[in-house]
Amino acid sequence: MSKMKKLIALVAVCALMMLTLAGCGGSSSSGSGSGAASGEKVLKVGATVDFAPFEFQDESQKEYQGFDMDLIRAIGKEMGYTVEIQNIGFDGLIPALQAKNIDVIISGMTITDERKQNVLFSDPYYQSGLTMVVRDNETAIQKFQDLKGHKVAVQIGTTSAAEVKKIEGVEVKELNTPADCFMELKANGVDAVVNDRPVNDYYITKTGATGVKALPERLTAEDYGIAIGKDNTEMQKKVNDALKKLKENGEYDKIYAKWFGDQMK
Ligand code: ARG
């Protein structure tokens, strides 16, 4: 073969390889391991999977577990979408939504005016609020105002972090997960954890936690909402319509009963 012919052959082989590689890249990125067939509509969901009973991992189960996880899968189904859930740190959720890496957030996220400047919210889907967890032998801290002069752990970027910062004279430690906060409490690194009530209650009653207790006082009343990109009013309507449908057809109640028993809504 002449030099020229060899060169042309080499270029042709390279071009073929590049095409093949590009093809592989394309199919694996759209599937993300979920097995979504091409042409299927995929709802990319962001959640911080550290918040039982709303979103958590159970070693024995393949799928993420919890009230939010069941609810968003039901909403996706109702909308005709395949749901893909990504686990993202809580302070990274809204940035991921703004960067359009995800379509919606469901993560026990409280609807707040501050967040509304950056995202849209669905209609409220769960009523929550904040309580405190302290060590069993704690006597000095009974009310939120007693936190003055104490160290308190909260999950970073949460309403707990924002509320505790409002109480004068509190040393706030912002940690990555509620589990980190509870560990810090047990290790005497802080004197209290402020966190969402249902998550504190689940931790105390369902995970066999010892040496700690939840206090009854509620600091706030908060509504959870599904967050959607600021310009995506079309998605907001679809999510709200699906949520409404699930409330009407009893599916929402079934999911609620599965995670919260016959507790009052
Ligand atoms: N409701 C609180 C908030 O919106 C805490 C949510 C934390 N969620 C989680 N999956 N860790 O700030």
Side-chain angles (χ1 to χ4, degrees):
M1 243 194 270
S2 74
K3 264 195 179 159
M4 194 59 180
K5 274 192 184 156
K6 271 190 194 161
L7 193 67
I8 292 172
L10 196 69
V11 169
V13 169
C14 285
L16 204 71
M17 270 170 66
M18 276 163 68
L19 276 177
T20 318
L21 286 176
C24 289
S27 67
S28 71
S29 71
S30 69
S32 299
S34 71
S38 58
E40 226 174 283
K41 285 189 285 182
V42 175
L43 185 68
K44 289 200 219 153
V45 177
T48 311
V49 188
D50 61 1
F51 213 57
F54 294 96
E55 41 268 327
F56 63 103
Q57 271 168 300
D58 176 339
E59 307 286 86
S60 68
Q61 313 261 355
K62 194 169 131 263
E63 311 246 291
Y64 291 143
Q65 300 295 300
F67 177 78
D68 284 352
M69 302 292 91
D70 286 349
L71 185 62
I72 199 68
R73 284 192 281 255
I75 287 174
K77 194 171 170 199
E78 188 61 48
M79 286 165 45
Y81 282 64
T82 301
V83 171
E84 275 183 19
I85 301 167
Q86 294 177 37
N87 189 5
I88 299 171
F90 195 74
D91 56 344
L93 285 172
I94 290 181
L97 189 62
Q98 289 175 315
K100 297 196 163 57
N101 294 337
I102 51 176
D103 304 313
V104 300
I105 299 169
I106 190 160
S107 206
M109 184 174 271
T110 303
I111 301 172
T112 68
D113 288 339
E114 201 192 329
R115 287 176 181 150
K116 272 191 194 164
Q117 298 184 355
N118 296 310
V119 301
L120 298 175
F121 277 105
S122 70
D123 293 332
Y125 70 86
Y126 184 91
Q127 264 184 7
S128 190
L130 305 178
T131 61
M132 275 190 287
V133 178
V134 294
R135 283 181 294 273
D136 258 345
N137 59 3
E138 181 62 61
T139 49
I141 304 171
Q142 282 163 15
K143 299 260 165 211
F144 276 94
Q145 287 312 318
D146 302 334
L147 290 178
K148 191 173 174 173
H150 289 278
K151 288 185 191 166
V152 180
V154 292
Q155 181 174 28
I156 190 163
T158 58
T159 46
S160 290
E163 287 300 326
V164 172
K165 285 177 193 168
K166 287 186 200 161
I167 307 172
E168 209 192 308
V170 177
E171 190 180 321
V172 186
K173 277 200 185 179
E174 291 187 74
L175 305 179
N176 280 327
T177 68
D180 291 343
C181 296
F182 294 134
M183 250 184 340
E184 195 67 4
L185 177 67
K186 287 188 161 199
N188 296 311
V190 294
D191 302 315
V193 172
V194 175
N195 187 36
D196 296 42
R197 171 188 48 77
V199 176
N200 289 339
D201 291 349
Y202 188 92
Y203 169 66
I204 302 284
T205 60
K206 295 277 166 51
T207 70
T210 53
V212 292
K213 61 184 176 191
L215 299 175
E217 191 194 359
R218 297 184 185 195
L219 182 60
T220 54
E222 305 185 5
D223 281 327
Y224 291 167
I226 295 162
I228 299 146
K230 188 92 170 125
D231 50 3
N232 205 349
T233 45
E234 194 188 322
M235 178 63 76
Q236 184 188 36
K237 185 174 185 316
K238 282 187 194 169
V239 168
N240 278 337
D241 287 349
L243 185 61
K244 189 160 171 264
K245 184 83 182 290
L246 297 174
K247 284 192 172 173
E248 282 165 6
N249 70 12
E251 194 61 32
Y252 176 94
D253 285 343
K254 263 195 222 157
I255 298 172
Y256 193 95
K258 173 176 169 191
W259 294 103
F260 304 105
D262 42 21
Q263 257 176 57
M264 290 290 292
K265 237 174 277 168

